[in-house]
Amino acid sequence: MSIASKYEPAAAEAKWYGYWMEHKLFSSQIDHSKEPYTIVIPPPNVTGVLHMGHMLNNTIQDVLIRRARMQGKNALWVPGTDHASIATETKVVNMLKEMGIDKKSISREEFLKYAWEWKEKYGGIILEQLKKLGASCDWDRTAFTMDPGLSDAVISVFVDLHKKGKIYRGIRMVNWDPKGQTALSDDEVIMKEIASKLYYIKYKIEGTEDQFLTIATTRPETIMADVAICINPNDPRFTHLKGKKALIPLINRAIPIIEDEYVDMEFGTGCLKVTPAHDINDYELGVKHKLEVIDILNDNGTLNEKAQILVGEDRFVARKMIGKRLKEADQLEKIEDYKTNIGHSERTDAVIEPKLSLQWFLKMEDITKPALSSVMDDVIQLYPPKFKNMYRSWMENVRDWCISRQLWWGHRIPAYYLPNGAYVVAKTAEEALTQANSQFGTSYTLSDLHQDEDVLDTWFSSWLWPISVFDTDVFTTGKPNEELKYYYPTNDLVTAPEILFFWVARMIIAGYEYMGEKPFKNVYLTGIVRDKLGRKMSKSLGNSPDPLELIAQYGADGVRTGMLFSSPAGNDLPYDDKLVEQGRNFSNKIWNAFRLVKGWEIDPNLDGSANASSIRWFENRFNQGLTEINEHFEKFRISDALMVTYKLVWDDFCSWYLEMIKPAYQHPIDQETYDRTIQIFEKILKILHPFMPFITEELWHQIKERSVAESLILASWPEAEAFDSKIIEEAAQVFEVVSQVRNLRASKGMSPKEALDLSINSKNPEVYAGFESVLIKLANLSSLGFAEKVDHAMSFVVKADECFVPMGDSINVEEEKANLKKEIEYTQGFLTSVMKKLNNERFVAGAPAQVIEMERKKQADAEAKIKALEESLGKLG
């Protein structure tokens, strides 16, 4: 089979992804003879397109799935999308606007018809894009959170939790989006630091002419909703005001002056205006002191009649107008520039209003307890574990979850209202009617019932995801089907830290509530992909490359490895095009290495015994590397696993092994060496495959023709065998000598083709015994000897061995002495850094034994090298 001179990623990617799909090599069915390994995809929004965060997240998932499949596990990666209520509704509303249609002018049914059409046209784009990345999902299982079965599960859970008394309807403070006109969960609110103004407003004390209280606020437009002024009882400045009242500027409504230690005496003026309808902290204060609530804002952010003035004005227009009126009334002391963090709607970018609203809530205090203990006790493990504290903080301070949204797209709340104002909760209108008539003893008809207009928070469906993708009936029957029994709990979840509480914790809650079991064993938390300036990549900043363009330019394997070169769990990835360029270069290196090997002519009659030590060295080095790779995978150090693989292939295999065994120009290679090298290359392709699926599958089939069942994607992950550290260390010492000889040539401007003599002063010359021919070949030596001293020679030290290269009379003694001193100084600095670690009691007590052993070996090597260098310096006088 002829091998193209250059690797063409696009052709290989189209060919092999089509091949895997055609033969259903990603699919998984129940097989009790195999251990299941399951990942459910964090379902991207149907509005989504592939961005850099998706690339990182899904590459990691695919690496884990492909390796598990090669380990003989029944690997299943379930794909799907989330209906994303607010995001999708916003897209559809905007589409209708372009068509000249106002959402308010059409019925709910008409709107939903447009929404479903939009979803069918655009909703699966991101999943198709993931295929370009090489994602080996079982696409036949693709799920959508509003599929009939999954929707039925959501409604069943709502009904069940309401029956258990865990869901209730009440008036609470929520995040309100005036543009989208819906409540939002905390995760749908983005905090932004903005430049604001601090208004110092004078409130007149009732019954006086010249006594005022000054209060600092960033929201003067809400003063008409004030119901009290609060002072700290320990503040001596305001003792004389206790029990008095103040007048709200512009409308002169009297409000009481109350006392509470909640007020920070150091902030602002030490006085706080209490506006329960428009601030969550003020609301809590109002509840405590039994204050009335005056809501002066309409749902769209304009002032209502309760404001008494500026009715109908937008809140921000009103802010400026109030400021102007206060100044004219001499009730504005001053205005200061002020920076503050303000919540914005993730979807509409509108400034969030804290708003008292009649909503549906899920009681969280008790239902969260198993989800907290399971993570704290490492039943579910977070990687990295630093996120456990954040998780605990959230869960210990959890508030009831507002689960209703004032939207049309989503799962409609199964509550049905009766003419008498009461309501019943049931899965269907028919069930609601039966329940209503039974409960109230009345003959209602279906026309008497009106279903709640709101839909459920998107997370209320996705929290069931690890269960509902396998079984949608378990929520009503309580009996899991065979699929759920086999695949649940899933193994690993890969997601972003910012949804650790909003999605991950809620899935854990649902898992224990409905399965009595964790939904997954491990949670791998990725970092954020950032640009060179440390900014999060986003379309709005224009600092994010198009992932599909990157794949077209660098190949999917290049992009996959590029994303993983520098992405330790939980830490942000500082993205640079050089990373994916490095990934592409790695692909080319592997391709060219294969071309080199396949290009050799084979002579079956040649004796290959000279290569035996080289083969033995690399096989031991491979097993050492594979052991490290497996350890990194076990600890979810995916980036580290890749780097060990990269160095093993690029440095050890390509740069050293192939050079060691490569026959002379136009000379053949022996059959034994060739066969062993192909076997080694096959092992390398196996450990590369999870990271670089396309080029590895291509080369796997280039080695020889193979059947579908023999495809690399289904091949066995290599077994890490015992390795001989001694031969690995000996080879490393030989390679260092080779590098030093090459450096010496380069420093003297000598041709690499010019052969040199080399003598080594070693107390352990047996180190070189198996590698003498390799040393002579790679360092291009005319002779290799062992002697204590060689006159008129340049020298260098490797470990404790002094190496001499005779240079005749051309040696510059002073220059040599300077170089030796410089080397001594460098090695002493290195030794100092090692000793700092070994003299650190905390490091010695906490580090693993093998790490301490490695540091002590570094100490011994450095001390021996310094001694040898000093002896060399002494010989020069």
Side-chain angles (χ1 to χ4, degrees), residues 3-226:
I3 306 154
S5 60
K6 187 181 173 188
Y7 175 55
E8 297 293 346
E13 289 159 18
K15 170 181 166 184
W16 291 111
Y17 204 86
Y19 181 89
W20 296 325
M21 290 282 284
E22 178 190 352
H23 297 290
K24 295 194 175 296
L25 300 187
F26 304 153
S27 77
S28 173
Q29 305 299 327
I30 295 172
D31 181 351
H32 290 290
S33 69
K34 286 185 175 184
E35 175 192 346
Y37 174 86
T38 316
I39 293 178
V40 292
I41 202 169
N45 291 351
V46 284
T47 58
V49 292
L50 200 61
H51 61 59
M52 298 300 279
H54 291 132
M55 295 276 278
L56 174 62
N57 185 300
N58 287 281
T59 294
I60 291 167
Q61 291 178 78
D62 195 47
V63 167
L64 295 172
I65 279 287
R66 286 180 182 272
R67 179 170 177 268
R69 193 181 284 123
M70 295 178 77
Q71 288 178 306
K73 297 174 184 175
N74 190 357
L76 170 61
W77 185 8
V78 182
T81 48
D82 189 281
H83 63 280
S85 293
I86 298 173
T88 305
E89 182 139 333
T90 302
K91 289 271 189 187
V92 177
V93 167
N94 290 338
M95 176 190 77
L96 291 174
K97 272 184 188 173
E98 291 174 6
M99 296 165 64
I101 301 171
D102 186 345
K103 176 190 169 185
K104 294 173 184 173
S105 69
I106 60 176
S107 68
R108 184 184 196 118
E109 288 68 29
E110 287 176 292
F111 178 84
L112 289 175
K113 179 173 171 288
Y114 284 116
W116 278 106
E117 286 173 359
W118 186 94
K119 182 266 172 185
E120 292 306 315
K121 187 172 181 180
Y122 301 107
I125 287 175
I126 190 166
L127 298 183
E128 291 304 310
Q129 291 174 329
L130 284 176
K131 293 176 182 177
K132 297 285 185 187
L133 187 64
S136 58
C137 303
D138 186 346
W139 296 106
D140 291 337
R141 291 177 176 269
T142 302
F144 174 54
T145 50
M146 279 176 60
D147 282 341
L150 276 73
S151 292
D152 187 68
V154 171
I155 301 307
S156 296
V157 165
F158 184 98
V159 172
D160 177 66
L161 291 173
H162 183 268
K163 194 180 294 181
K164 291 174 179 173
K166 294 179 180 180
I167 284 179
Y168 66 93
R169 190 169 182 249
I171 296 174
R172 297 286 185 277
M173 184 71 75
V174 297
N175 301 305
W176 184 262
D177 177 351
K179 189 173 179 182
Q181 294 193 39
T182 180
L184 302 178
S185 58
D186 291 344
D187 62 291
E188 293 161 329
V189 177
I190 306 296
M191 300 306 292
K192 297 181 185 179
E193 186 179 75
I194 63 168
S196 184
K197 302 283 184 187
L198 198 57
Y199 295 77
Y200 287 79
I201 304 172
K202 295 190 291 185
Y203 287 65
K204 194 175 190 179
I205 304 302
E206 188 182 39
T208 72
E209 287 301 319
D210 55 359
Q211 286 188 42
F212 292 88
L213 260 181
T214 302
I215 293 177
T217 179
T218 58
R219 304 196 63 196
E221 72 279 9
T222 64
I223 63 172
M224 295 83 76
D226 291 352

Side-chain angles (χ1 to χ4, degrees), residues 474-673:
V474 68
F475 303 103
T476 48
T477 65
K479 296 177 181 177
N481 64 16
E482 291 305 309
E483 284 229 322
L484 190 56
K485 286 180 191 174
Y486 181 71
Y487 289 112
Y488 188 97
T490 66
N491 294 72
D492 304 324
L493 180 77
V494 182
T495 191
E498 56 260 35
I499 56 172
L500 178 57
F501 174 68
F502 306 111
W503 186 47
V504 179
R506 287 169 178 166
M507 283 190 287
I508 299 172
I509 293 167
Y512 281 103
E513 181 70 17
Y514 288 100
M515 296 297 293
E517 169 73 292
K518 60 185 178 289
F520 28 70
K521 297 167 188 170
N522 305 295
V523 180
Y524 179 104
L525 297 155
T526 63
I528 295 169
V529 185
R530 298 189 181 276
D531 66 13
K532 293 177 189 176
L533 301 176
R535 301 174 302 175
K536 183 177 178 179
M537 286 190 159
S538 69
K539 277 185 183 177
S540 58
L541 286 176
N543 64 343
S544 179
D546 183 330
L548 295 179
E549 288 179 9
L550 285 181
I551 289 173
Q553 185 175 356
Y554 297 101
D557 292 327
V559 174
R560 287 166 66 109
T561 48
M563 294 295 288
L564 290 180
F565 275 136
S566 179
S567 56
N571 290 329
D572 293 348
L573 165 64
Y575 176 79
D576 190 311
D577 279 347
K578 288 178 182 174
L579 290 170
V580 290
E581 190 176 330
Q582 184 184 357
R584 179 194 60 193
N585 293 346
F586 191 31
S587 294
N588 292 337
K589 185 79 170 177
I590 297 162
W591 185 265
N592 290 331
F594 180 71
R595 285 188 68 235
L596 175 71
V597 174
K598 289 295 280 184
W600 288 336
E601 182 186 339
I602 304 164
D603 184 346
N605 300 314
L606 276 181
D607 177 16
S609 57
N611 290 326
S613 61
S614 299
I615 294 170
R616 191 162 63 91
W617 161 72
F618 187 80
E619 287 180 339
N620 278 278
R621 176 68 192 96
F622 178 86
N623 283 311
Q624 182 191 46
L626 182 55
T627 300
E628 291 176 33
I629 291 163
N630 287 339
E631 285 175 0
H632 286 314
F633 269 115
E634 292 311 308
K635 294 171 182 173
F636 286 85
R637 296 197 292 248
I638 313 298
S639 186
D640 292 337
L642 172 60
M643 285 313 299
V644 173
T645 308
Y646 176 83
K647 289 174 181 174
L648 184 65
V649 176
W650 190 293
D651 297 340
D652 297 307
F653 182 71
C654 296
S655 298
W656 289 117
Y657 175 76
L658 291 182
E659 291 301 311
M660 291 159 81
I661 63 152
K662 184 171 70 174
Y665 180 61
Q666 292 189 336
H667 283 66
I669 194 167
D670 66 280
Q671 187 74 51
E672 172 71 11
T673 301

Side-chain angles (χ1 to χ4, degrees), residues 800-819:
D801 293 356
E802 190 175 11
C803 304
F804 304 97
V805 178
M807 301 297 287
D809 296 330
S810 65
I811 187 169
N812 183 324
V813 175
E814 293 306 316
E815 186 181 314
E816 279 302 292
K817 285 162 73 174
N819 287 338

Side-chain angles (χ1 to χ4, degrees), residues 701-825:
H701 290 266
Q702 290 264 10
I703 290 172
K704 63 180 182 182
E705 285 190 24
R706 305 188 198 248
S707 67
V708 173
E710 295 171 313
S711 296
L712 180 56
I713 189 175
L714 302 177
S716 298
W717 184 256
E719 289 288 329
E721 299 171 10
F723 56 89
D724 181 354
S725 299
K726 188 167 175 283
I727 191 174
I728 295 170
E729 289 172 13
E730 288 173 353
Q733 190 164 331
V734 169
F735 298 155
E736 179 62 20
V737 173
V738 171
S739 297
Q740 292 282 9
V741 172
R742 289 173 175 174
N743 291 342
L744 187 149
R745 265 201 195 86
S747 68
K748 297 298 177 186
M750 301 167 75
S751 167
K753 294 180 180 178
E754 185 176 343
L756 298 172
D757 296 327
L758 176 68
S759 287
I760 302 175
N761 177 16
S762 176
K763 291 177 181 174
N764 300 297
E766 65 275 7
V767 166
Y768 303 93
F771 293 101
E772 286 190 18
S773 61
V774 168
L775 184 49
I776 290 168
K777 177 181 180 180
L778 297 186
N780 189 16
L781 303 178
S782 48
S783 69
L784 172 63
F786 294 88
E788 286 190 15
K789 188 176 185 302
V790 176
D791 293 327
H792 304 294
M794 294 187 70
S795 66
F796 55 85
V797 174
V798 174
K799 297 270 177 116
D801 293 356
E802 190 175 11
C803 304
F804 304 97
V805 178
M807 301 297 287
D809 296 330
S810 65
I811 187 169
N812 183 324
V813 175
E814 293 306 316
E815 186 181 314
E816 279 302 292
K817 285 162 73 174
N819 287 338
L820 285 169
K821 287 176 182 175
K822 190 175 179 182
E823 184 74 3
I824 290 169
E825 187 181 334

